[in-house]
Amino acid sequence: MQGKCGLFFTSYRGEARIFRSGFQKLMVGLFILALLAAPLALNIHETSVMNLVFIAVIGAVALNLLTGVCGQISLGHGAFIGVGAYAAGQCTLHGVPFPLAILTAGLITAMVGMVFGVPSLRLKGIYLAIATLAAQLVLEFVFLHGGALTGGSSGLLLDPPTILGFVFDTEARMYYLLLFFAAAALLMVANIMRSRYGRAFVAIRDYYLSAEIVGVNLFWFKLVAFGVSSFLAGVAGGLWAHYTGYISAEQFNIGLSISYLAMIIIGGMGSVLGSVFGAVFVVLMPEALNALANSLSAAFPGISQSLVALREGVFGLVLILFLIFEPEGLVNRWRLVKAYWKLYPFAH
Amino acid sequence: MRAGQIITAACTMLLAGLMLMGCGGEGDKPAQTATTGSESQADTSPIRVGGLIDLSGPTSSVGVPYADGLRAAVRYINDNGGIGGRPIVFDLQDTAYNVQQGLSLYKKMVNTDKVVCIQGFGSAVTEALVRTQAKDQVPNFSASYSAHLTDPRTAPYNFFISADYSTQLRAALKYFRSQWTEARAPKVAFIYPDHPYGLAPIPAGRAYATELGYEIVGETNVALNAIDATTELLPLKNKAPDFCWVGGTTPSTSVILKSAKNIGMTSVFFTNIWGTDETLPALAGADANGSFSNQAAAVYGKDVPGMKIIEQITGGKPQMTHYVRGFVSILTMAEAMKRAADKGAVTGESIKDAAETLRDYDPMGLAPLISYFPDDHRPNMAVLLYTIKDGQLTFVAEEILDRRADWLGH
């Protein structure tokens, strides 16, 4: 089978590699180096935006595994992130070291996610969406009425992450911590996708009946998809909680769930790279609109207010335009761009 | 050794090195202006203040007039000499009630634009910033009045100009108890949304109602976006409460008042600060008449010195009570800044320290006198009670509570 020009696979293992050519490895290596060096060039605000992107990447890739890869739509993702935030918060408040707290938060969220994933055997599509919406509402209620466990309406105050006495209390330090977790999450999902589990998820997504006929245990694999996705959502929540230092029930509402769904739709369903593109797009769009409003405000004093009011509308419009013109998301556009340059100057 | 392992090792070492470099990257306090005590005498450089207000999100109907009040007060301060000759540059941005957006805007304001103070709004964003602001030493004069934000142990850099939600509820309960003439205990019920804002003062209200000798006959939840409250109110009607606390926003209050009228409830309804404003009579019509509300600022047209200024600025065009509170928030911040400037540099820390020296500061009669203490950021224990008479917010009384230590933060 032929992959890139001049590259031939002689084994399935070779074809399943994450990076299939030396050029790809070189590019990824340079990209990683650029990411590692980025805080030296970025100011604190830009670094903080990158930190928000990293957290969003973890949450988006988690949801993409469940919805994009396995086809199990979830409107409760924001609440799962909340479960992770509160779980990690309670762990560190009780003296559990930060890495263990994040792991515990992931595991607790995985369990919660699996509980709410149980109906997925019977429910599909819009019915599952409503079931997960119910999970969102139930969990929001728990956050608000959890007493000392969640701090109720007052929320929980948390300290910055500390690993072996090293406190991650600046944006630059958080940058490296979050970059590590984001990279680990992406690697984890990329590896799952090329494993037996990944293939089973795709089979379920494409047609559950065929999957079952070829021996895929629907219940088990759907449950695993909910579990792994929720695990990563819990990790994202734990990181978010310790990044902001304060969590309250309002932060993990249905709006957050929709925001993550928007990320994977815009980025590209079922693609690891798409999750990254979607997270970057959704986090940066308000920044871009703000920058546009600020730059235009000198020439048109009233425009800032108008653009501000338009922001939600612009976001909705972008989402609709993506659904119409690029339903496969930014990742497909990226593939087309790559193909164009690979074939250049020959169009066909 | 394989090439992959070499690359991994190199990346790990680079990561470790860069992390160590990152350790010292943000040592200087981001919210510090360049001035020192000696320089400030001739200093006319602007003092930068950030505004994080919901202008397009779910609470924008009150956020926009509040923001207008902030802007007007900044103009007023600047037109009258600024802070010791230094103008305030006010960068007002929209959070859309979105925590992530608020956080990002805040980081830009503090770290890039070097603002020394924030004018905030909305529980979600204000609370998400509590820790960060304490670390950055940037005060936040916010319009989120949850009681736990008045405790400097929890929120050392948070200030607001209104009595907190719990104090407001307590003050109204005290007022109605003092007016009660019947021999039996007055009956009270609580109606609120199942939402952090709605829930915040309820434990305090329950405890104080019991302490004052009220009989609590019921509680019910009415959502902020409810379109009818009959189902929720019918069980309460059977218990015939004399007073009903409404802890929602203006639209939900109007729904509650209309539904109560429909089912023939005769209780006296009284609302939290966001539950009643000048739009309520338009929303609820005659059903709003006779309801009470807690307010923290004078309504437009009240005969106080500050209102003359607002009337002049607005050309006599009536403004909402939220506008007046925004105005007071800036006046109070400016007073703290002036005191900080008198002592030396205007930094986030010096503004906080100066604010904590305010004792019975009078914001030109627009709000009750304001004091902050290093261990107590409750601005006052005074609540203005208004009733709606003939479609107008009409002043009833100013109820002042004791500054009880056990109420701090609750």
Side-chain angles (χ1 to χ4, degrees):
Chain A
M1 180 178 277
Q2 187 171 1
K4 287 177 175 296
C5 181
L7 186 65
F8 296 91
F9 298 116
T10 53
S11 66
Y12 288 121
R13 182 179 290 274
E15 193 191 1
R17 276 184 192 150
I18 295 180
F19 306 116
R20 295 177 187 178
S21 70
F23 180 74
Q24 257 185 333
K25 285 178 189 166
L26 178 70
M27 285 296 116
V28 170
L30 288 175
F31 182 66
I32 291 170
L33 283 178
L35 276 179
L36 289 174
L40 303 176
L42 300 176
N43 64 32
I44 299 174
H45 167 242
E46 289 158 354
T47 311
S48 76
V49 173
M50 288 296 289
N51 289 343
L52 294 176
V53 168
F54 291 143
I55 295 171
V57 162
I58 302 171
V61 80
L63 182 63
N64 219 339
L65 182 70
L66 182 66
T67 303
V69 180
C70 194
Q72 309 299 300
I73 191 161
S74 171
L75 283 173
H77 201 67
F80 293 147
I81 288 176
V83 171
Y86 281 108
Q90 279 298 342
C91 283
T92 49
L93 285 175
H94 285 89
V96 177
F98 178 74
L100 205 57
I102 290 291
L103 183 68
T104 312
L107 293 174
I108 289 173
T109 316
M111 280 192 283
V112 173
M114 286 164 86
V115 168
F116 286 108
V118 168
S120 65
L121 184 67
R122 300 271 174 171
L123 304 175
K124 292 174 199 61
I126 191 73
Y127 299 97
L128 184 60
I130 296 299
T132 52
L133 179 65
Q136 169 80 39
L137 299 177
V138 167
L139 290 171
E140 270 189 58
F141 179 85
V142 173
F143 298 157
L144 198 52
H145 298 273
L149 202 63
T150 62
S153 62
S154 301
L156 291 180
L157 279 171
L158 304 170
D159 289 324
T162 306
I163 298 177
L164 299 173
F166 187 86
V167 187
F168 291 83
D169 57 352
T170 66
E171 292 296 337
R173 291 180 192 184
M174 279 306 293
Y175 177 93
Y176 291 108
L177 184 71
L178 295 173
L179 172 62
F180 168 77
F181 276 101
L186 291 175
L187 261 180
M188 181 177 163
V189 174
N191 278 321
I192 288 173
M193 281 176 67
R194 63 203 187 109
S195 72
R196 179 169 159 264
Y197 276 81
R199 289 191 294 276
F201 292 160
V202 172
I204 293 169
R205 177 193 67 190
D206 287 349
Y207 191 39
Y208 69 96
L209 204 53
S210 303
E212 198 167 21
I213 288 165
V214 296
V216 172
N217 182 339
L218 289 188
F219 186 61
W220 169 248
F221 281 102
K222 283 181 178 178
L223 218 52
V224 168
F226 266 96
V228 175
S229 172
S230 305
F231 175 85
L232 288 174
V235 170
L239 293 169
W240 167 257
H242 288 85
Y243 177 57
T244 58
Y246 193 100
I247 45 172
S248 66
E250 278 189 280
Q251 297 176 14
F252 310 105
N253 56 19
I254 181 72
L256 188 66
S257 296
I258 292 171
S259 174
Y260 275 102
L261 262 183
M263 282 181 206
I264 62 169
I265 290 170
I266 290 173
M269 296 277 256
S271 158
V272 173
L273 192 59
S275 313
V276 179
F277 285 154
V280 170
F281 187 89
V282 171
V283 174
L284 291 191
M285 203 182 74
E287 300 292 325
L289 281 173
N290 272 340
L292 181 68
N294 289 339
S295 60
L296 290 176
S297 60
F300 309 99
I303 198 140
S304 170
Q305 194 74 24
S306 309
L307 275 179
V308 154
L310 276 175
R311 184 181 296 137
E312 296 297 312
V314 169
F315 187 75
L317 183 69
V318 167
L319 207 54
I320 291 168
L321 291 177
F322 262 103
L323 291 173
I324 295 170
F325 296 108
E326 193 53 278
E328 289 180 54
L330 286 169
V331 73
N332 190 48
R333 194 53 45 185
W334 173 246
R335 277 190 214 114
L336 293 176
V337 169
K338 277 201 303 184
Y340 175 84
W341 286 109
K342 203 160 79 178
L343 299 172
Y344 187 83
F346 307 107
H348 302 286
Chain B
M1 191 183 282
R2 290 169 56 190
Q5 287 172 317
I6 295 171
I7 292 169
T8 309
C11 286
T12 310
M13 286 175 69
L14 186 67
L15 177 65
L18 287 168
M19 278 182 68
L20 285 173
M21 278 197 285
C23 300
E26 293 161 37
D28 54 326
K29 289 172 191 168
Q32 203 157 16
T33 56
T35 55
T36 63
S38 58
E39 288 168 345
S40 65
Q41 291 182 356
D43 190 5
T44 55
S45 63
I47 297 173
R48 297 187 180 278
V49 174
L52 293 172
I53 313 292
D54 176 13
L55 300 175
S56 64
T59 57
S60 57
S61 60
V62 288
V64 170
Y66 187 82
D68 289 341
L70 295 174
R71 285 197 201 94
V74 168
R75 275 201 306 279
Y76 168 73
I77 296 288
N78 287 342
D79 291 346
N80 287 275
I83 308 297
R86 298 176 67 188
I88 294 174
V89 171
F90 186 44
D91 179 19
L92 183 77
Q93 297 286 345
D94 175 29
T95 63
Y97 210 81
N98 180 306
V99 172
Q100 201 177 53
Q101 204 161 309
L103 202 62
S104 175
L105 285 168
Y106 166 82
K107 303 260 181 187
K108 179 174 180 296
M109 286 175 177
V110 171
N111 297 309
T112 308
D113 305 336
K114 307 289 179 194
V115 303
V116 291
C117 192
I118 294 284
Q119 288 285 334
F121 188 89
S123 304
V125 176
T126 302
E127 290 175 355
L129 289 173
V130 162
R131 270 286 157 101
T132 314
Q133 286 182 315
K135 194 181 82 185
D136 294 340
Q137 297 181 323
V138 175
N140 185 0
F141 285 76
S142 171
S144 172
Y145 307 132
S146 291
H148 62 271
L149 296 173
T150 59
D151 186 352
R153 288 170 300 182
T154 308
Y157 279 78
N158 264 77
F159 296 90
F160 47 69
I161 55 91
S162 157
D164 58 76
Y165 299 135
S166 303
T167 301
Q168 288 179 31
L169 174 50
R170 288 189 190 107
L173 287 169
K174 188 183 172 200
Y175 172 78
F176 290 124
R177 190 69 181 91
S178 70
Q179 303 293 310
W180 187 251
T181 51
E182 293 184 38
R184 66 177 174 87
K187 292 190 276 188
V188 67
F190 298 103
I191 306 167
Y192 52 91
D194 194 24
H195 183 274
Y197 154 67
L199 278 169
I202 298 303
R206 283 189 204 124
Y208 195 54
T210 308
E211 190 179 319
L212 289 176
Y214 279 92
E215 183 190 350
I216 301 172
V217 294
E219 292 186 22
T220 190
N221 290 145
V222 175
L224 292 173
N225 56 357
I227 52 171
D228 183 70
T230 310
T231 314
E232 291 85 355
L233 293 182
L234 274 172
L236 280 188
K237 187 198 170 195
N238 297 333
K239 291 170 184 167
D242 301 298
F243 302 99
C244 287
W245 160 258
V246 178
T249 54
T250 315
S252 63
T253 302
S254 82
V255 165
I256 289 166
L257 293 179
K258 284 196 275 192
S259 299
K261 193 78 172 177
N262 283 342
I263 61 173
M265 276 184 86
T266 54
S267 313
V268 171
F269 286 84
F270 61 112
T271 77
N272 204 355
I273 193 163
W274 301 107
T276 297
D277 59 29
E278 288 79 354
T279 60
L280 187 65
L283 290 170
D287 296 344
N289 287 335
S291 65
F292 286 76
S293 67
N294 300 332
Q295 299 292 340
V299 295
Y300 197 81
K302 192 179 179 190
D303 185 20
V304 291
M307 195 55 71
K308 301 280 177 289
I309 295 162
I310 291 179
E311 284 171 345
Q312 201 177 351
I313 291 172
T314 57
K317 188 182 169 196
Q319 302 292 326
M320 293 168 80
T321 176
H322 314 299
Y323 178 101
V324 180
R325 257 186 292 121
F327 204 91
V328 173
S329 185
I330 291 285
L331 289 183
T332 311
M333 178 195 74
E335 178 62 23
M337 284 180 168
K338 282 173 188 165
R339 292 184 185 208
D342 288 344
K343 283 191 174 177
V346 180
T347 66
E349 195 178 4
S350 72
I351 293 169
K352 172 192 179 276
D353 292 342
E356 286 171 349
T357 67
L358 291 182
R359 297 289 179 271
D360 290 336
Y361 165 66
D362 179 10
M364 298 193 282
L366 292 169
L369 305 178
I370 291 168
S371 307
Y372 300 112
F373 302 90
D375 57 352
D376 184 351
H377 283 187
R378 286 176 290 184
N380 51 51
M381 302 301 287
V383 175
L384 307 174
L385 279 150
Y386 281 81
T387 188
I388 294 182
K389 196 190 281 182
D390 301 328
Q392 297 290 322
L393 275 171
T394 310
F395 179 75
V396 176
E398 181 177 1
E399 188 66 54
I400 300 175
L401 298 172
D402 296 330
R403 193 179 275 269
R404 272 169 52 173
D406 60 320
W407 284 345
L408 176 62
H410 301 287

